[in-house]
């Protein structure tokens, strides 16, 4: 099983994989407009392959290195399934999306989007549940 979180100590960069890393090719990378510590790797086959993290945001995931199945399956009030990842249980103060994908939501514990705390993936058709949460 491929790990979902990596951290490069030398570069001080972290990475969260949303899809199997060797199955897809990155088409382009863009920053999340609200937080330049978060860079999104886009693909033609899945909306976002993975998320590059820098600075203080990267350090937050360092304890999850080599972890698999960091996401949990959840349901909305309308009983729609989504995948959710949280670093901790702080209250969400701000949720944002990238203009190229509205079905992946980034959560922050502050209104300025500096304290990253998690991700929700509502595009369940594009992502492999086995990779995200296990079989």
């Amino acid at each position: 099983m491929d790990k979902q979180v990596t951290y490069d100590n030398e570069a001080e960069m972290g990475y969260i994989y949303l899809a199997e890393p060797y199955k897809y090719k990155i088409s382009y990378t863009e920053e999340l407009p609200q937080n330049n510590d978060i860079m999104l790797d886009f693909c033609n086959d899945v909306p976002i392959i993975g998320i590059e993290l820098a600075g203080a945001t990267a350090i937050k995931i360092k304890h999850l290195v080599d972890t698999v199945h960091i996401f949990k399956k959840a349901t909305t009030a309308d009983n729609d399934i989504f995948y959710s990842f949280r670093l901790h249980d702080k209250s969400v103060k701000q949720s944002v999306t990238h203009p190229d994908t509205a079905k992946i939501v980034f959560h922050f514990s502050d209104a300025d989007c500096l304290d990253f705390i998690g991700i929700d993936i509502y595009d369940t058709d594009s992502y492999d549940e086995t990779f995200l949460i296990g079989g």
Side-chain angles (χ1 to χ4, degrees):
M1 175 41 119
D2 289 314
K3 51 192 163 194
Q4 286 178 293
V5 178
T6 61
Y7 186 84
D8 182 327
N9 284 310
E10 191 172 312
E12 297 181 337
M13 297 283 294
Y15 201 88
I16 299 172
Y17 292 94
L18 304 186
E20 296 174 66
Y22 304 108
K23 189 174 180 179
Y24 302 102
K25 184 175 172 92
I26 297 169
S27 299
Y28 63 99
T29 301
E30 287 192 15
E31 288 180 355
L32 185 67
Q34 296 84 356
N35 183 322
N36 62 7
D37 277 353
I38 301 173
M39 283 95 24
L40 312 175
D41 287 337
F42 288 90
C43 174
N44 292 331
D45 300 314
V46 294
I48 297 174
I49 296 172
I51 302 161
E52 298 175 43
L53 303 170
T57 305
I59 292 168
K60 290 180 185 185
I61 68 159
K62 193 173 181 178
H63 71 283
L64 296 172
V65 168
D66 298 332
T67 302
V68 294
H69 311 309
I70 62 170
F71 285 84
K72 297 193 180 332
K73 192 176 195 178
T75 56
T76 66
D78 295 330
N79 289 322
D80 292 326
I81 294 171
F82 68 100
Y83 305 115
S84 183
F85 162 68
R86 293 292 184 278
L87 283 165
H88 39 70
D89 60 358
K90 285 185 181 179
S91 296
V92 175
K93 300 278 194 250
Q94 185 70 276
S95 297
V96 300
T97 61
H98 186 278
D100 290 351
T101 180
K103 291 188 172 187
I104 299 177
V105 181
F106 298 84
H107 300 290
F108 300 87
S109 70
D110 64 314
D112 295 328
C113 298
L114 299 176
D115 188 17
F116 171 73
I117 58 172
I119 306 161
D120 289 336
I121 301 173
Y122 293 95
D123 183 359
T124 56
D125 292 333
S126 295
Y127 291 93
D128 181 359
E129 180 174 302
T130 304
F131 178 76
L132 293 174
I133 68 168

